[in-house]
Structures are given as C-alpha cells and as structure tokens.
Amino acid sequence: MPQPQDAPPSPPSPTASFYDVSDDEEGEYSAIRQSKSNKGVKLLYAKSKVYVHPSASAKDNVAGYIALVEQKPVVGDGERRKSAVTHPPAVAGKSGKSDNNHNLLLSWLPEGSLGDGREKYAKADMAEADSPPHRPDLVPPPPVTTTHGASIGTYPFSVPLSEIYSILFRPPSSGWWHGSIVINTRTGESFPALFFHDNECQSTINQRKRLQRENFDIGSSSGGGMHWGGDEVMKWLKNHATVERSAHEPSLYLVDPTEDDQKAFGLSRRPTSDNVRNMLEGKDKGESSKQKKKEDPVGKALKEARWTVLEKLSQVTTFTRRTAQAVAENKNLPPPVRRLMQSPQVQSMSDEFDSARLYLARWAMSIAEQAEKERSQRIWTARDILEMEESELGSFEVLDAEALSLQDKRKPVTAEEWESFFNASTGRLEKTQLEVKERIFHGGLSKDDDVRKEAWLFLLGVYEWDSSADERKAKIHSLRDEYIRLKGAWWERLADDRGSLEEKEWWKEQRMRIEKDVHRTDRHIPLFAGEDIPHPDPDSPFAEAGTNVHLEQMKDLLLTYNEYNRDLGYVQGMSDLLAPIYAVQQDDAVAFWGFVGFMDRMERNFLRDQSGMRLQLLTLDHLCQLLDPKLYEHLQRLDSTNFFFFFRMLLVWFKREFEWFDILRLWETLWTDYYSANFHLFIAMAILEKHRNVILEHLKGFDEVLKYVNELSGTIDLPSTLARAEALFRRFQRMVEAIDRKDNFPSMPTVRQRLPQPPPSPSNSQTGASASGRERTAADNAAAGAGKEKEKVISPELRMLLSRDIPKLEKKEVREHGGGIGS
Amino acid sequence: MASRKKILLKVIILGDSGVGKTSLMNQYVNKKFSASYKATIGADFLTKEVLVDDRLVTMQLWDTAGQERFQSLGVAFYRGADCCVLVYDVNNSKSFDTLDSWRDEFLIQASPMDPESFPFVVLGNKVDVEDSKRMISSKRAQAFCQAKGGIPYFETSAKEAVNVEQAFEVIARNALAQEESQDFNPDFPETIPINMNESNEGCSC
C-alpha cells in the first residue's frame, strides 16, 4: 500500500486507519478550517432524510443529510504535530483510532446546501457497506463548528468527533415520533435534534428489509427494536471511536470517554455477571480502561473467561459470604450497589446460595431491580408502554419520560374522583363501566383514602355497575342477613353432633386447617400482628400463644365460606386471598361477599384435580411459545415447560411475590378485566421476560429455574411489571390479529371492539378492506415475520386470553371436582 | 473442579399441612426458627453441603405444600429422589394416620427401582409442646416404623432444635447409600422428561 507521497506542507497523517493507507489522493483534499475553496473532504458515510424541526409545525422541517467526513490533517497545529510524532503510522493500528478523531467530522447538511455534491451524498447514502469505501468521494467541506448559532435548520454544521462529548440516541416509536439524535459537545453545547424520517429514507428501508430477511426473531437479544437511521450513525461512530453507553442514562452514549467520564456515567455497570465478577474481584477499574480500546466494551475475552472464573468460584463453598462482604466494603462501587449489599435480603441470600453461578445471576438481577426501583418515582405513561411494545422483549428500555400528556390519567383514583363518576342524587354511574375500569387499570385506587372500600365491591361483583345508591344499600342489607345465616349454620354444625361421621370429620379437619393457616397469614401486617386476646379454644395449638380479634374474624369468614361452598371448601391459599379484602373492608359481612366475588373466579385454582391450575399453566406454556420461542426452547431443554415454577404466582395471584400495598394495586388492576380476564398470565409473562436473559444464560435445570423464580419474591417492581404486561398483551393481540388475517380466519371481535358483528357474508369478505390505520400497522408487523409466523397457531387456550369474560366454573364442575363434602 | 463427580442428594419432605416441614428444613439448613413461616405453596428447596463419611455431598431438600390436592402437580420433583422424609406432628393424630398414604403416594409417583429398599425416615415433630397435648406416643410411632421395614424414627423439635441435626445426618447417609446403589444400576434412566400431558394422565379423573 503506498503511503502518501506528496503531502507538501503537512505532516504525515497522524494515524493510519485502515482506509487512508489505501488513499492516493491525500494531497487533494483540504483541511477545512483553512479554506472553503479547496477541493474537498472525504465523504465516508451519509444518510438522507435527516431533518431538523425548527418549529412545532411540520412545514418548517428542513430535510438534509447526516454524514461523516474526513478532512485532511490540520497544518501548523503544534498539538497535532506532536501527536503525529509520538504516534507514527507504523505503530498506529486500531488502538489508535481515536487519535485521528479531530479529522473526522460529523456533519449535517440541508439538502439545499449540497450543490454539486448532491449526487455524491446520494451515492454514499445508498452504499450498503459496513465499512467506509476504499475510495471515498470528495465533497465540498462543510463549515466546522463546535457551537451552534441561533438560526438552526438553514445552515449546515459539522463537529469534529474529538469535540463530541456524548450523543443522545432516541429510537423511533411507530405512530408516535421519529427517532432522533442530539449531539452534545465537550463545551457543554447541544446541537438541535436531528430527526430520522426512516420511512422516507430509501437506504434505511433497504437496510430494514435486509435485516428482517436475515433474522426476524421477536425473542432475539441482539438486534433490539426496529432498525432506524440512528443505528447506522452508531455504526459509523463505532468504526472510528469508542462509543460507550451510559448506565444511568440508557439512551446516552459517550464518545471516546475519559476515565472520569466513565466513572461519572457508570459505564459498563450494566449488571451482567461479567461486571459483577469484576466488581467482586475489585478490578473493575483496570478492566474498563482496557476495554475502552476494544470494539465491544463487554469484551469477548471476558465472556470466554467467565466460565472458568465461575467454576473456580463455585469450588469455594464459603464464596458467597466472603465475597459479599468484600463487595460491600469495596469503595469503587457506586453507592446503590453498596447499599444493596448491606441489605438483609442480600445477606440472607448469600447465606443460602452455594452455587456461585446462581448467586451471580441473582445478584445481577437484584441490582437491576434496585435500579428500577430507584427510578420508580416516575409514572408510566401510555407512551412508555408503546415504547416497550415496540422494543425488544428481553431488554426493555426505560426511556426518558418526555412530555407526559397522559400523566394525569395515571394518578390513582381518589375517593373524590370516584364520587364524581356517580350521579349525586341517584348514585348511578355516569361514566361507562369501561371508562372507570380503564382509570383503575392504569391508575389504581388511592391508598390514602377509603375509595377501595367502595370501589372493590364493584370490581368484585358485589354491586352491579348500573345500580343506584338505594339498590346498593338494599343489596348490602340482604347480604348481611345472608352472612349471618351462613355463619349460624356452621356454628350449629360444630356445636351439635349432627351429620354423618364423614361430615363431622371433614368439618373438624377444615377447621384445623383454617386455624393453622390464619395464624400464619400476613402476620407482618399491623392489623394481623400480635396476640392480645386469649384463644377461645383451649385445644387449639395456638391456645398458648393467644390470638387477636382480626385473626378470629378471618377464621369465621373462612369457615363461613366453607359452609357457603361446601363442594369446594377451604383450601390452602384462600386465606392469602381473603386477607387483603378483609383488611380493606374491616367489616366481616362485606368482606365475606367481596371474597365470594373473588373466589368465583379463583375457584378453579383450588379444585381437587387441579384442572384449573393445569389449564392456566398450559396457557402460559402456549403464550411463552408464541411470544418468546427462544426462551421457550430453553425452558424445554430444562424440562421446565410444565411451568410449575409459576404455580405459586398463579394460585394466589402473586400474593407471595409482591409487598402488601403492591398486591392491593395489582389485584384491583386484574379485577378490572380491562384487557383480558386472564391478564394475570401476562403479569406472569412480564416477570418471565424481565428475567429471560438470566434464565437463558445461567439457569441449567428445572430445579434452578424453580429456585430462581421462587427467590424473586419481594424483589419485583410492580409499576414496570404492569407496563410490561400491558405491552405484552398488546403484542399478543396484534400477533393473533395478524395470524388470523393470514389464515383468513373469520376475524374475532377484538377486545377493543366487542360490538355485535353482522354474520360475515360472502360479498363482504373481512380480509383487507376494513383495516383501519392501526390494524394496518399490525398487519405490516406481522407481514415482516410472515415466514416465521407460518407454523404459529392460536390455540383455544390462547384465544381465551382475548376474552374479558371471567372464567367461572359451573356449579356442577365444582361439585364433581371440588373435593369438598358436598351439599 | 474436583475430578470426582459432585454428589447431589435429593431429599423429599412430605407430611400433612402444618406439621413443620418448612421449619425443620430451615432449622437444619439455616439454624433458624420462625413461628411465622407462611403455608408453603407449590414447592421450594434448600441446599446444604455436608460431609458424610469424609465425602462432601450437596443435599437438596424439597419442601412441598401439605394439602394433598397440591401434590398432583408436584410429582415432577419426586423423580430421582434419594430419600423421603415423612413428617408428622406428635400432637396431631391425624397427621400420624396419614403417614402411610404419604408413603404410598410417594412410591407411586417417584417409582423408585426397588420400592422395598427405598430409604424413608420418619420424624415426629413438635415434641417441645407440653406432654398433655401429645397424641402419639413414641411407642406407637416406633411400632409403625418397625412394621414398615425398620424405618429410622426421630422425635424432633424444629423450634428448639432437638434432634434435627441427628435426624438429617441419618437422612444424608441413607440418601448417599441409595444414590450409590443407583450408580451400579445402568438401567436407571438419567432423566425422565416431564411434561403437562404426562402429569395430566394421573389426575384427570
């Protein structure tokens, strides 16, 4: 390769990157600071249809090109000259790539300013290469700036890479906004956002098609969301500079960061087991400066080393406690991590785990959870959910909350707002049932007033939604009477000696079961804590310990339910379901009927033959197969597709996984049946997806999966889980629609439009014509994965998920499979 | 890693609801007792590394829900068990009466190669409770264990850590013996795939 021969006044190029050694026109392009009249700069890459939006009005948008150009090294710059001496081309390989970044300019040029260069830009835009061309075209040099003037949009600008501190990459969200980037300079200036109108940009469209051909996989952990123009720019930058993502600001990327920058932005602290290991061994710092030079900051070498290291760690049985201690004392760690390490939870966890691999996996996840919780003050908006819906399943991005126009809708419903839903004189609901449910689904009910007392009775079916205040009063009256009657019935049963031996035996057993379970249900809640009255039954195993009035009420309630539903009777887990309802109502009769309403839908969980639980686990199996085939395959390999590890979550609706107040919020959300009467399965999927990478990477057996999932208890962040579940539901709904359309399936009424539909007539085929804008998007998305969609089938179990009808059992089924004493 | 294969002993703990399965396990593994363990739902396990005759083994102790209807889905983890611990509450005769059916159920679900020789251990828990409440005498329990082919029997208190260590030592030793006897049997399948359909058959009555 010929070296530049005739570069008269200038020193040799300070670095020899892989393309400029092949260059033989070195002398002909200009150092643009000096002149505008010289021949030009090398155009390495360009992308069209990149807009500046100077005002809110679309008509002011200015279309242009973003480009990376290389200028000739600046002459007479002492600084540069020195660097040229210390880094002669002979030794400058890839490692020196950042050194020539003052020669590289990231530019934006309005289409109108291109003049003669227009064709060259268009050509560079359409070049489908991953690396710069061997013979880049020369174009007129754009003016260099490190600040931007007041009038944006009309003038081109370009910034030396060496002056760029960071770039904010905001991926697009279809139907909402264009993807954009914002360049921040080292002097602290921000350039106007550049918007990528991907749908107008032929090169982006081509790239998308190519990528979709290559790998369409919703579970793919590599690609991320939909390809957009910003991804290309990222690629250019990564070819020439070190680009690292900030851990604190996931959309922020630092360009050639210094070590201080890295620390400030918590680079490479995304909790992977690699990072965790680095931290454990206290060599985080050294490692990251080495990594800096590599293309992939979470380096390949580390990946290879991981298993050896983990294996070594696992030989040391005292590993967990000792290292946890060391980590807690390591001053290089960010405060949240240190705090976390000192929490009792982590401490006890480290006592228990003898497997380093599991321990690391769990620890990494708990850091992620902690981060999510620390961000938790934010309110999830519909926009966020759309974001999630569009983004890759495995690593949901938490995006900067921008203008939150929908924020109000997500505030909890207060008693005052609740009352405003009703007519002041009749007490009849003036909104639609669906409107109210939407509010509760997204906002929840306030925990600071008594709104739950009343609202839950609607959600649990004790009150009719269309009832008047008087009707409700009458209803509660008669329900109180009925409760007293039922309570008296079992009371007499236990006092008298009537009934068959079998019946008596059953009652005795049930009573003991209830006794034992109530005394170990939610005792950490102040209401149920402590014993301040003597136990009424001296033969009870709790006679010595004593009891309290709320425990006694709970027992009476469960025995009354045992009387009310003798076909099923009390089954373990029911006390968990009753406690929140009782605590909210604190009125035994009212709580009882609320519980009955809840049990109507939960009965199937408790059948003797477990058929209801099987059905739900099977549905979860199908759902995972559809939404995340990659994870499903992995679970299959681990013999875990019985999804038994979700048994507890499904049986008592995550009661053991979330904190008390989160449960109240979660249950009222689920009770709305806003999207689906089986939305709890999407909550389960959301939890699974959150942990998919850990499961894929680290868990190697059924027992490990079970343990890992069990241990999530108390660590799951609810708001983000709800948002993720909603995104998953909508993704599911779109997939079903798309598959149905493809199979020419007579379209089912979707959840959103449950209008009675006219019977499909032959002339009015439902394919195509009726598609609304939104449906078309879904169809497009589906078409993208058409090849893959082929063998996908929507099982009846999955189709059921689109229904809002509560899955209640027939009385007959309960009688046959309930396992109670019968009536 | 050591050249010798790491030994994992799988132990299943069964017994009526509330007899103290979770508490026994926690006392043994974590040396802790809490009066407020919640009723176990589904299944969970704890692991503990112990030395048995100079051999380092990992015990995996499986804890299950006591109400029998929840057993049908949990059979998945009965498979490959090396020992089964049957727990009852000495103050609750019902929990003693059901030991036999727990044993039978286990043998059916786990289907070990040689059911006759499969190791069980019986634990009579809650001996810390005052004598007046005691329903099952040591004699009666011992007679039962004798009749079932000489099952080792221990009276324990998870609350006061009575006999827990001793009982689990025997459990570990018997489990190890069972595991090693399996090694000599080449016919024993390494893993048995479990799936929904299979478990359906057992119970869709």
Side-chain angles (χ1 to χ4, degrees), chain A residues 546-708:
Chain A
T547 180
N548 70 53
V549 64
H550 299 294
L551 296 184
E552 293 309 299
Q553 293 266 35
M554 288 273 291
K555 292 177 201 170
D556 284 0
L557 281 159
L558 291 169
L559 278 163
T560 309
Y561 185 75
N562 198 57
E563 171 73 35
Y564 171 81
N565 190 358
R566 289 192 299 267
D567 290 327
L568 183 63
Y570 172 80
V571 181
Q572 268 187 355
M574 289 183 187
S575 65
D576 276 287
L577 300 184
L578 171 63
I581 298 175
Y582 173 78
V584 161
Q585 300 297 344
Q586 291 197 36
D587 173 321
D588 57 351
V590 179
F592 178 77
W593 293 107
F595 178 65
V596 167
F598 192 12
M599 280 309 301
D600 274 351
R601 66 158 84 211
M602 299 300 276
E603 244 180 341
R604 60 179 180 158
N605 287 11
F606 297 97
L607 297 178
R608 180 171 192 89
D609 63 2
Q610 294 288 291
S611 52
M613 287 302 293
R614 280 179 212 283
L615 173 68
Q616 290 170 78
L617 293 170
L618 184 68
T619 309
L620 202 52
D621 176 281
H622 290 182
L623 194 58
C624 182
Q625 229 173 122
L626 182 77
L627 291 178
D628 194 347
K630 188 177 171 197
L631 179 62
Y632 184 81
E633 266 173 40
H634 183 71
L635 292 173
Q636 241 173 350
R637 278 193 295 276
L638 306 187
D639 285 337
S640 295
T641 47
N642 52 16
F643 283 85
F644 181 78
F645 53 94
F646 269 115
F647 185 87
R648 183 172 79 194
M649 297 200 200
L650 300 190
L651 187 82
V652 290
W653 271 21
F654 313 94
K655 177 80 182 323
R656 301 289 180 86
E657 329 303 324
F658 290 100
E659 304 296 332
W660 177 263
F661 282 105
D662 280 349
I663 282 296
L664 308 187
R665 167 74 173 92
L666 172 63
W667 285 5
E668 65 207 13
T669 303
L670 294 175
W671 287 334
T672 62
D673 303 313
Y674 178 63
Y675 282 113
S676 163
N678 281 292
F679 196 72
H680 65 294
L681 296 179
F682 290 90
I683 300 282
M685 255 329 271
I687 293 171
L688 191 61
E689 282 302 321
K690 171 71 184 277
H691 297 271
R692 77 185 291 276
N693 289 339
V694 177
I695 295 171
L696 282 172
E697 273 182 48
H698 299 287
L699 304 186
K700 307 287 173 219
F702 167 71
D703 51 350
E704 290 183 1
V705 176
L706 181 89
K707 186 76 186 168
Y708 182 81

Side-chain angles (χ1 to χ4, degrees), chain A residues 724-797:
Chain A
R724 194 174 285 117
E726 185 174 359
L728 282 168
F729 178 83
R730 286 156 68 150
R731 182 191 287 263
F732 167 72
Q733 196 180 16
R734 277 193 329 223
M735 288 179 82
V736 174
E737 281 170 14
I739 290 168
D740 283 354
R741 195 167 292 117
K742 193 168 179 305
D743 298 349
N744 228 347
F745 203 93
S747 92
M748 293 279 289
T750 68
V751 171
R752 287 204 162 278
Q753 334 148 311
R754 310 199 94 223
L755 302 169
Q757 297 213 345
S761 62
S763 59
N764 180 20
S765 153
Q766 303 217 358
T767 49
S770 69
S772 70
R774 171 153 171 80
E775 282 169 325
R776 210 170 287 129
T777 317
D780 288 345
N781 290 348
K788 190 182 167 62
E789 233 64 277
K790 218 164 201 169
E791 71 273 22
K792 284 198 166 145
V793 180
I794 303 301
S795 65
E797 288 83 3

Side-chain angles (χ1 to χ4, degrees), chain A residues 437-559:
Chain A
K437 287 181 168 177
E438 193 276 338
R439 271 296 283 124
I440 297 172
F441 181 90
H442 283 121
L445 294 161
S446 170
K447 62 180 167 60
D448 302 321
D449 54 39
D450 273 349
V451 64
R452 279 189 169 129
K453 263 189 188 173
E454 168 114 346
W456 278 23
L457 297 179
F458 284 87
L459 292 172
L460 289 168
V462 177
Y463 292 151
E464 301 293 330
W465 285 93
D466 56 2
S467 59
S468 70
D470 288 343
E471 284 163 357
R472 291 195 290 274
K473 211 174 276 172
K475 175 97 187 254
I476 212 75
H477 253 312
S478 71
L479 287 178
R480 274 186 200 286
D481 292 347
E482 178 65 5
Y483 176 71
I484 290 166
R485 192 191 67 75
L486 286 165
K487 195 173 161 183
W490 65 257
W491 187 260
E492 272 177 40
R493 213 183 272 280
L494 290 174
D496 294 5
D497 225 17
R498 65 196 163 102
S500 67
L501 193 67
E502 191 199 359
E503 262 178 37
K504 276 189 288 189
E505 191 59 28
W506 186 70
W507 273 95
K508 206 176 122 196
E509 252 178 69
Q510 289 294 80
R511 192 186 185 181
M512 180 58 101
R513 212 187 279 287
I514 289 167
E515 174 88 16
K516 278 182 177 165
D517 285 352
V518 166
H519 277 270
R520 48 179 173 167
T521 300
D522 294 317
R523 297 300 301 279
H524 62 292
I525 300 303
L527 190 72
F528 300 119
E531 292 89 6
D532 54 9
I533 58 171
H535 200 287
D537 177 6
D539 290 334
S540 158
F542 300 94
E544 229 171 290
T547 180
N548 70 53
V549 64
H550 299 294
L551 296 184
E552 293 309 299
Q553 293 266 35
M554 288 273 291
K555 292 177 201 170
D556 284 0
L557 281 159
L558 291 169
L559 278 163

